[in-house]
């Protein structure tokens, strides 16, 4: 990994602290997660061996409400990564003004090398290990990289078995039949699409003359690519861990989505179509396109490649794809970055709607969900945009100024216990 992502998250906080004259005492508190839990997760593997995985749950802040954040399964998961992601969740919930703090969880494992039964046993044991600190009014997990609605269903079932009742509000991103929300699966990608269109509108650009490259073809990237192409943008490149696929005339996103439904591990590997060229994940970042939407993992746009990026608009579908050094280089070049905490907030917004629906046991239709999502993202986008113009700073700085001010104000109003 190119940079310690928690250091990167702290650097972003420190930069904004200087800009908003943050009280040094509050700053000190906000530089540390409230709670970090490391757990050992023994799992019976199909061949009879026991494998012990390391899992984490970090609650960064509960100042504005219950902690909220996804669970990631990946071989590169570390405590520092989970801490960074938990910090970003805190700012994300604050910038879009939903009543949550921030958290994140992860297990260091490679789910592609495990059977579904092994992943299910891992999920259930990990759930029990973090159960002392999660809860519908304390800390509510959701899907992230390599976890899905199915994983959330197992978590909900595990907690429900322990409590002896169906506990709907323990996780969001659940299957619809288990108290999930319509529109949740698409919500993050939809938010990326809405943020992109809002930026194009501000810049007076026509979506039908806009070219887009999307790195990552998972939950976020594939939906963003699909919805942007449906809005008339020309999505010329897409990629996943197997590599990139490029057609200057525009990709057949519908065909690619069909392909990954049945491909091995749902990867694009082996996808072939006339006019489509194979490129690397590095090359996709450097294409001559209008919009680049990094929607895979963190640390993709760094000091190393930022100067070579040609896209004038970067809409961050992933969390932390751009390092602070790269941010400065992009800003000097005049590129506009819609920061992760705003651009990919669609997921947590509809997670919030799911939680509200679960608590009320009353479910909304998809149009209502999508309209409310759009309203919240557009409002937050406009607030960030206005502040960035007023203070003459980039959109990331403006988003952080709004978010950190909200968390700091809540902290001051609550007072320091005891
Ligand atoms: P996912 O597991 O569904 O998809 C991840 C995608 O990235 C896959 O296509 C994978 O092949 C690809 N990928 C992995 N390593 C790569 C590499 N080295 N180069 C290029 N592509 C690579 O995960 P997701 O839920 O789509 O999450 C993607 C990003 O969006 C993460 O940063 C995540 O934290 C963030 N995010 C997700 C949500 C959500 O609701 N799922 C919400 C907000 C932010």
């Amino acid at each position: 990994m190119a940079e310690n992502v928690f250091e990167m998250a702290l650097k972003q906080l420190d930069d904004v602290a200087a800009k908003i004259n943050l009280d040094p005492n509050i700053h000190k508190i906000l530089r540390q997660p409230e709670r970090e839990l490391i757990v050992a997760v023994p799992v019976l593997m199909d061949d009879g061996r026991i494998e012990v995985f390391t899992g984490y749950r970090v609650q960064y802040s509960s100042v504005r409400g219950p902690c909220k954040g996804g669970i990631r399964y990946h071989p590169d998961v570390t405590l520092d990564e989970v801490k960074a992601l938990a910090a970003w969740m805190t700012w994300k919930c604050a910038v879009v003004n939903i009543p949550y703090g921030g958290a994140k969880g992860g297990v260091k494992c490679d789910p592609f090398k495990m059977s579904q039964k092994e992943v299910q046993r891992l999920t259930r044991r990990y759930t029990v290990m973090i159960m002392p600190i999660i809860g519908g009014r304390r800390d509510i997990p959701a899907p992230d990289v390599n976890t899905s609605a199915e994983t959330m269903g197992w978590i909900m079932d595990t907690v429900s078995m322990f409590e002896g009742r169906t506990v709907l509000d323990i996780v969001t991103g659940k299957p619809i039949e288990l108290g999930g929300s319509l529109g949740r699966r698409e919500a993050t990608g939809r938010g990326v699409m809405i943020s992109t269109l809002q930026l194009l509108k501000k810049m007076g650009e026509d979506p039908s003359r806009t070219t887009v490259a999307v790195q990552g073809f998972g939950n976020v990237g594939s939906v963003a690519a699909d919805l942007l192409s449906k809005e008339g943008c020309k999505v010329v490149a897409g990629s996943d861990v197997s590599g990139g696929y490029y057609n200057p005339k525009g990709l057949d996103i519908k065909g690619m989505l069909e392909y990954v439904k049945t491909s091995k591990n749902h990867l694009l590997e082996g996808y072939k179509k006339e006019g489509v060229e194979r490129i690397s994940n590095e090359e996709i970042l450097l294409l001559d396109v209008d919009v680049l939407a990094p929607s895979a993992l963190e640390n993709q746009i760094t000091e190393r490649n930022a100067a070579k990026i040609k896209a004038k608009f970067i809409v961050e579908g992933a969390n932390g794809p751009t390092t602070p050094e790269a941010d400065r280089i992009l800003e000097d070049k005049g590129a506009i970055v819609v920061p992760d905490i705003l651009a990919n907030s669609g997921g947590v917004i509809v997670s919030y709607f799911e939680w509200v629906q679960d608590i009320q046991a009353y479910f909304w239709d998809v149009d209502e969900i999508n309209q409310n999502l759009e309203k919240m993202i557009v409002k937050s986008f406009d607030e960030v945009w206005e502040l960035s113009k007023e203070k003459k700073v980039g959109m990331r700085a403006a988003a952080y100024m709004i978010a950190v001010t909200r968390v700091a104000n809540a902290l001051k109003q609550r007072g320091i216990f005891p």
Side-chain angles (χ1 to χ4, degrees), residues 149-183:
E150 185 180 45
T151 327
M152 298 306 115
W154 296 330
I155 297 178
M156 188 279 252
D157 181 65
T158 303
V159 172
S160 298
M161 288 298 119
F162 272 78
E163 292 215 8
R165 66 184 178 98
T166 299
V167 186
L168 291 185
D169 61 355
I170 182 69
V171 276
T172 58
K174 297 180 291 296
I176 307 294
E177 295 83 352
L178 301 181
S181 177
L182 295 170

Side-chain angles (χ1 to χ4, degrees), residues 72 74 85 92 104 143-146 184 188 215-221 239-242 267 281 295-298 300 317-319 344 347:
R72 174 175 295 195
H74 197 278
L85 289 161
K92 190 181 302 182
K104 204 80 183 190
D144 191 71
V145 174
N146 296 331
R184 171 62 185 91
T188 311
Q215 187 198 41
F217 208 70
N219 178 274
V220 181
S239 75
D240 65 15
V241 71
S242 71
L267 290 177
N281 259 301
S295 307
L297 291 173
E298 54 266 31
Q300 297 299 304
N319 285 310
N344 71 32

Side-chain angles (χ1 to χ4, degrees), residues 216-229:
F217 208 70
N219 178 274
V220 181
S222 69
V223 175
D226 185 36
L227 295 180
L228 281 165
S229 68

Side-chain angles (χ1 to χ4, degrees), residues 245-272:
Y245 301 79
Y246 173 55
N247 183 350
K249 294 196 175 126
L251 291 170
D252 167 20
I253 300 296
K254 205 167 153 228
M256 290 165 81
L257 286 168
E258 276 304 312
Y259 183 82
V260 297
K261 269 190 196 160
T262 53
S263 66
K264 190 169 175 225
N265 290 331
H266 303 293
L267 290 177
L268 286 164
E269 183 78 79
Y271 174 77
K272 283 196 183 71

Side-chain angles (χ1 to χ4, degrees), residues 1 51 80 82 97 134 161 240 289 304 334 340 348:
M1 200 167 282
E51 196 69 69
D80 271 351
V82 179
N97 215 359
I134 60 171
M161 288 298 119
D240 65 15
V289 288
R304 207 171 28 83
D340 47 6
V348 76

Side-chain angles (χ1 to χ4, degrees), residues 105-258:
V107 179
K108 191 176 178 62
C109 65
D110 189 346
F112 289 127
K113 294 197 177 132
M114 297 167 72
S115 71
Q116 225 220 2
K117 283 186 176 153
E118 289 168 343
V119 175
Q120 182 175 160
R121 287 195 288 268
L122 168 90
T123 302
R124 290 185 183 275
R125 183 62 185 246
Y126 168 69
T127 303
V128 173
M129 296 307 288
I130 64 168
M131 223 153 62
I133 66 166
I134 60 171
R137 303 297 165 109
R138 280 174 201 278
D139 179 1
I140 307 128
D144 191 71
V145 174
N146 296 331
T147 55
S148 62
E150 185 180 45
T151 327
M152 298 306 115
W154 296 330
I155 297 178
M156 188 279 252
D157 181 65
T158 303
V159 172
S160 298
M161 288 298 119
F162 272 78
E163 292 215 8
R165 66 184 178 98
T166 299
V167 186
L168 291 185
D169 61 355
I170 182 69
V171 276
T172 58
K174 297 180 291 296
I176 307 294
E177 295 83 352
L178 301 181
S181 177
L182 295 170
R184 171 62 185 91
R185 191 188 65 79
E186 302 83 5
T188 311
R190 180 173 289 278
V192 172
M193 176 273 284
I194 297 168
S195 303
T196 307
L197 292 194
Q198 196 62 6
L199 177 61
L200 294 176
K201 194 164 142 194
K202 299 276 182 207
M203 300 304 292
E205 306 246 355
D206 178 356
S208 68
R209 290 166 177 272
T210 301
T211 54
V212 181
V214 182
Q215 187 198 41
F217 208 70
N219 178 274
V220 181
S222 69
V223 175
D226 185 36
L227 295 180
L228 281 165
S229 68
K230 285 181 178 150
E231 291 294 330
C233 296
K234 196 198 278 182
V235 180
V236 296
S239 75
D240 65 15
V241 71
S242 71
Y245 301 79
Y246 173 55
N247 183 350
K249 294 196 175 126
L251 291 170
D252 167 20
I253 300 296
K254 205 167 153 228
M256 290 165 81
L257 286 168
E258 276 304 312

